[in-house]
Amino acid sequence: RFQRLVDWNVDQLVKLLKKIVAKRKIDREKGLPSTSSYPQGEEEEAPQNGADFDLRTKTSILQEVSDVITFPQPSLGEIIVGDSVGESDEVELDSHVVVQLHEFMTSIATLYGNHPFHGFAHASHVAMAVITWLSRVSSSAQEPVNEHPYEESFSGDWKKPLSSKDMFSLTSDPLTHFALVLSALCHDVAHTGVCNAQLVKENDKTAMKYNEKSVHEQASIELTFETLMNSKYSDLRNLLFATEKEFRHFRQIVINCIMATDILDDHVMAKQAVRWGCLFRDHEEEEDGDDISISEFQPENEGDQKLSIVVERLILISDIAHTMQVN
């Protein structure tokens, strides 16, 4: 069973790696710089060796959590054409990359303990849910957008829908998808089987290391990056990151998504709810008894802010997707 789970997850990630390669090829054929879709600076960035970027945490993970992730900005032509990586099945990956991906996934799976719930089987289920949700999100700009979808069924929710351009930013970037699926697979790495509050109560050394805040989540992020930085995965990292902007985008998604799975932290959940309410509802709502104000969440780029909270909620609902299944 263990090997079947590893093999299945590797197959899913290989598909995304092929899409990453296909998209870069298409961008080159169009004469676009490889980082044109990541607007994190005016200057063009020359391709680099992705294996040189250090994924390991040098600062507090809590300090790296951001309310706004910068997502790829597609051109109007890309939106009209639609999926630009449809030929990814024709891509042939270097055998060294596939072997390294399999070894990396095996290492991650081995780091999971033999717990009744927080094991690799659960992580695989969460990854499957993420893949399913992403496959059900339409990226077509041809579909009409209801200005007030679900208005009659859900009071207040989704009064401010994402635009077709914003949705395309999410659906058309395979590196974003890879980061989301990897976040799902690694979100409970080395989980102890008990909740964060219990670790804090027992004065566990891991809880003290992470200042008694989102202990398991921070530990999972650090261990994931530490594992991926092993020299034997250099070819895999080099394929994943063509530039520093791609590397930073990937890292930010993994950090935000894994930190968003701390469902027992009232502050984390309240902050998510306030951001969601501010961005997707016409009326303003604040959480009673919490010091979070929606005035904090008024970014200039509303599309990026919406997508940021959407990916956090996507990983969160995937984490509890087992509760929505029918036996």
Side-chain angles (χ1 to χ4, degrees), residues 28-48:
R28 286 196 302 270
E29 291 173 349
K30 292 178 179 178
L32 298 173
S34 60
T35 59
S36 62
S37 58
Y38 296 93
Q40 298 179 13
E42 296 298 326
E43 74 289 347
E44 288 188 12
E45 191 178 7
Q48 298 166 272

Side-chain angles (χ1 to χ4, degrees), residues 104-270:
F104 169 72
M105 202 67 259
T106 301
S107 296
I108 290 296
T110 305
L111 288 170
Y112 275 88
N114 187 25
H115 302 298
F117 180 75
H118 295 100
F120 186 61
H122 165 65
S124 300
H125 189 280
V126 177
M128 179 175 65
V130 168
I131 294 168
T132 301
W133 296 130
L134 288 173
S135 70
R136 296 173 71 90
V137 177
S138 171
S139 62
S140 173
Q142 309 299 325
E143 296 182 3
V145 178
N146 186 346
E147 289 297 324
H148 300 287
Y150 311 122
E151 182 173 8
E152 296 179 359
S153 303
F154 300 97
S155 175
D157 283 347
W158 294 98
K159 291 295 187 66
K160 300 179 181 178
L162 278 162
S163 69
S164 295
K165 180 179 179 180
D166 293 330
M167 289 308 299
F168 192 81
S169 296
L170 174 62
T171 60
S172 66
D173 183 42
L175 182 62
T176 296
H177 290 196
F178 191 99
L180 285 168
V181 176
L182 187 68
S183 298
L185 289 170
C186 299
H187 79 285
D188 276 337
V189 164
H191 200 287
T192 62
V194 299
C195 65
N196 288 329
Q198 185 62 31
L199 293 181
V200 172
K201 183 179 180 180
E202 295 174 355
N203 293 319
D204 185 88
K205 61 180 181 181
T206 305
M208 291 185 284
K209 176 181 178 180
Y210 296 111
N211 296 319
E212 302 181 351
K213 182 72 174 178
S214 298
V215 179
H216 281 125
E217 290 72 25
Q218 291 195 71
S220 295
I221 292 169
E222 184 170 5
L223 190 51
T224 296
F225 288 157
E226 186 69 36
T227 303
L228 189 53
M229 281 306 301
N230 192 301
S231 60
K232 62 184 178 181
Y233 307 131
S234 59
D235 292 332
L236 173 60
R237 297 198 307 277
N238 193 33
L239 179 62
L240 275 174
F241 315 121
T243 65
E244 185 175 354
K245 290 177 182 178
E246 290 185 347
F247 152 70
R248 293 190 181 281
H249 177 70
F250 174 90
R251 178 181 172 84
Q252 190 65 69
I253 288 180
V254 172
I255 289 176
N256 270 35
C257 287
I258 293 182
M259 291 298 288
T261 62
D262 189 3
I263 61 175
L264 296 182
D265 187 308
D266 293 339
H267 185 81
V268 171
M269 292 297 99

Side-chain angles (χ1 to χ4, degrees), residues 289-303:
D290 202 285
D291 60 355
I292 302 173
S293 170
I294 55 177
S295 62
E296 296 177 38
F297 309 109
Q298 299 293 340
E300 293 181 5
N301 190 333
E302 188 176 282

